[in-house]
Amino acid sequence: MAEEGGESEITLEHTPTWIVTLVCTVIVFISFVFERLLHRLGKVLKRKNQKPLFDALQKIKEELMLLGFISLLLVVLQGSIQRICISENLTHHLRPCKGEATATSTAHYVVSSSGRIVGGARRLLSGGGDSTYCQKKGKVPLLSIEAIHQLHIFIFILAVSHVVLSLITVVLGIAQMRTWRHWEDSAQNSVGNVPLKISHVQQFEFIRKRFKGFGKDSFISSWLHSFFKQFYGSVTKTDYTTMRLGFIMTHCKGNPKFNFYKYMIRVLESDFKKVVGISWYLWIFVMVFLLLDIAGWNAYFWISFIPLILLLAVGTKLEHIITQLAHEVAEKHSAIAGDLVVTPSDHLFWFHRPRIVIFLIHFILFQNAFEVSFFFWILTTYGFDSCIMGKIGFIIPRIAISVLIQFLCGYSTLPLYAIVTQMGNSFNKAIFNENVQIGLLGWVQGAKKNKKGTVVDRSNKSENPEAILLQNVVVHESSVVRGGNEISEV
């Protein structure tokens, strides 16, 4: 039994065994149920042949394992951290709250709602630590036990918030894209039913709504139109059917009834596993954001504008790419025989790399998750009136911006990403179902063994080596049959 501040703490050796057993049983039971639910969900996804979503689930498991390891390190090393002593003067700078700190006899402290540092009575979970070790030297520990405890709770809330908000964004995006299924059915049914005729380019609705003429004024107006278009009807039926036809005529001309909608959903599911994870560079941003949480700076208020500005920039760029497709056709042709066909190209995207967009969306969702998780962490840990929370004039705009980002990304930016990023030179390997992918990659590997000196043509600048190989198969081996199904029928 230990005496601290006039209060006694009962150690495990003096705790009734039934209490220890009961608490351990509840914790183990909850953990086991959660693990079984994830396992069962994985089996359902595999049974339904949802490999991209299954891969995303595996990514979530990896993140949970990383979080568990981080929490374990914080618990095991907290004794060692307590023995790292620093001068008390160093704790007077770069604080999230103003006011003087008063160290207690336990040599650990937390920031109160009044801005003062008050003591706690948390014991070392790892054992072997001496809370008065630094006090005897006239110093303070590098990080208090209470602060360590609250820190790993924040990290856990951040990761969970990122996964949940990413999932909500994808669900909203797919819900918004449901209407495209009817457009896909209509486009497939109209194949071969429309007589070939010559039409002036301005007669096409896609050109009429997107083409703004020539000159400096038209250039500015096209960007302004693209900016505001992302807030209403970001993708219309004519946009969809035109880009669908452009994709088919570029990548699978032999199959005019190719299901472009299913292909986009498969690509979106495949990219979801990238978005749901927390990459190493995102953890660096977390460290930078924590460093900037200094009293008087209101850093989190200004940081909240970063994902909003990026999201608006991404949405504007994606809308402008559609406009550029219309401009290129209008500038090259005055009349067109048959349907309007646009030409996909990587030069339409930033740095000629369509995949940059998904990395920006990843960062936007993570930054938004950081804002949301930090708000709820402060609210539940210190209360709404905490000095860390900031003034209400800064809190309300931050919450409003986070909600706006969540819905705008789900209902507008993500659907735009799903269709516009298909307007590059290459295509995603999700164009094939899983069985065909495995068969083709096996065939390619066998061909590489037989012809080690063969050089693969990389003139299409694809970012994915597998996509290069699969594209060569489609272009040059369109008659390949695997398991009785032609590739063009995938």
Side-chain angles (χ1 to χ4, degrees), residues 20 43 52 149 197 224 271 275 283 313 365 460:
V20 177
K43 293 181 67 175
H149 173 70
K197 63 178 182 178
L224 289 175
D271 289 339
V275 173
W283 284 111
L365 292 178
N460 57 8

Side-chain angles (χ1 to χ4, degrees), residues 191-489:
V191 173
N193 298 331
V194 180
L196 184 65
K197 63 178 182 178
I198 298 177
S199 305
H200 192 273
V201 289
Q202 294 294 338
Q203 292 179 322
F204 292 97
E205 184 179 358
F206 179 76
I207 300 293
R208 192 168 61 252
K209 289 186 175 182
R210 293 281 181 175
F211 184 64
K212 303 299 178 183
F214 303 92
K216 181 179 179 180
D217 293 338
S218 65
F219 176 80
I220 296 176
S221 63
S222 66
W223 277 103
L224 289 175
H225 177 265
S226 299
F227 175 80
F228 291 105
K229 188 71 168 62
Q230 63 182 311
F231 299 105
Y232 65 95
S234 57
V235 178
T236 63
K237 182 177 180 180
T238 54
D239 295 336
Y240 179 86
T241 53
T242 303
M243 288 188 285
R244 171 189 178 274
L245 183 60
F247 178 89
I248 291 176
M249 297 302 291
T250 302
H251 300 298
C252 44
K253 192 174 182 178
N255 183 18
K257 291 192 175 184
F258 173 77
N259 197 317
F260 185 59
Y261 173 79
K262 287 186 177 180
Y263 164 70
M264 283 191 303
I265 295 297
R266 288 203 296 265
V267 172
L268 194 60
E269 291 174 347
S270 177
D271 289 339
F272 176 62
K273 66 182 180 183
K274 301 181 181 69
V275 173
V276 78
I278 302 181
S279 303
W280 62 269
Y281 54 87
L282 294 179
W283 284 111
I284 294 178
F285 283 110
V286 172
M287 304 304 119
V288 174
F289 296 152
L290 292 176
L291 180 64
L292 296 177
D293 185 23
I294 300 173
W297 285 22
N298 298 314
Y300 288 168
F301 171 75
W302 303 111
I303 289 175
S304 64
F305 286 94
I306 296 177
L308 178 61
I309 294 173
L310 285 177
L311 185 65
L312 294 176
V314 169
T316 302
K317 177 61 176 178
L318 293 176
E319 285 285 357
H320 193 254
I321 289 175
I322 304 177
T323 301
Q324 282 182 282
L325 292 171
H327 274 245
E328 289 184 357
V329 174
E331 290 171 357
K332 293 178 180 178
H333 307 280
S334 58
I336 295 176
D339 295 323
L340 177 68
V341 180
V342 296
T343 304
S345 175
D346 284 348
H347 83 272
L348 299 171
F349 298 87
W350 284 315
F351 305 106
H352 302 173
R353 296 176 65 87
R355 300 298 297 174
I356 288 179
V357 179
I358 189 63
F359 289 113
L360 291 176
I361 292 177
H362 191 185
F363 174 78
I364 290 167
L365 292 178
F366 176 78
Q367 172 61 23
N368 195 50
F370 179 86
E371 285 286 337
V372 173
S373 59
F374 190 83
F375 170 78
F376 283 105
W377 175 66
I378 295 297
L379 182 65
T380 56
T381 303
Y382 300 108
F384 190 82
D385 296 329
S386 170
C387 58
I388 305 181
M389 182 70 78
K391 298 179 181 179
I392 190 170
F394 293 106
I395 298 173
I396 295 178
R398 283 170 55 189
I399 298 175
I401 289 174
S402 296
V403 174
L404 175 62
I405 290 173
Q406 193 65 40
F407 283 94
L408 182 61
C409 188
Y411 278 114
S412 177
T413 310
L414 198 65
L416 273 171
Y417 161 79
I419 188 169
V420 175
T421 51
Q422 310 312 321
M423 296 297 102
N425 289 343
S426 58
F427 58 81
N428 193 288
K429 66 179 182 179
I431 195 171
F432 305 102
N433 63 34
E434 183 181 357
N435 294 331
V436 174
Q437 286 183 38
I438 295 174
L440 287 176
L441 290 176
W443 175 80
V444 170
Q445 290 173 0
K448 288 174 65 178
K449 290 181 180 179
N450 295 332
K451 298 182 179 180
K452 293 183 180 180
T454 302
V455 179
V456 179
D457 180 15
R458 299 184 182 270
S459 59
N460 57 8
K461 299 182 181 180
S462 172
E463 302 162 14
N464 189 339
E466 293 180 352
I468 295 175
L469 298 174
L470 292 174
Q471 187 169 359
N472 288 336
V473 171
V474 173
V475 175
H476 303 295
E477 302 291 337
S478 58
S479 61
V480 172
V481 177
R482 189 75 180 179
N485 297 321
E486 291 192 11
I487 294 176
S488 61
E489 294 178 355

Side-chain angles (χ1 to χ4, degrees), residues 64 67 154-166 278 369 373:
L64 292 175
L67 288 173
F154 167 70
I155 293 174
F156 177 79
I157 293 176
L158 172 62
V160 172
S161 298
H162 177 62
V163 171
V164 172
L165 293 180
S166 297
I278 302 181
S373 59

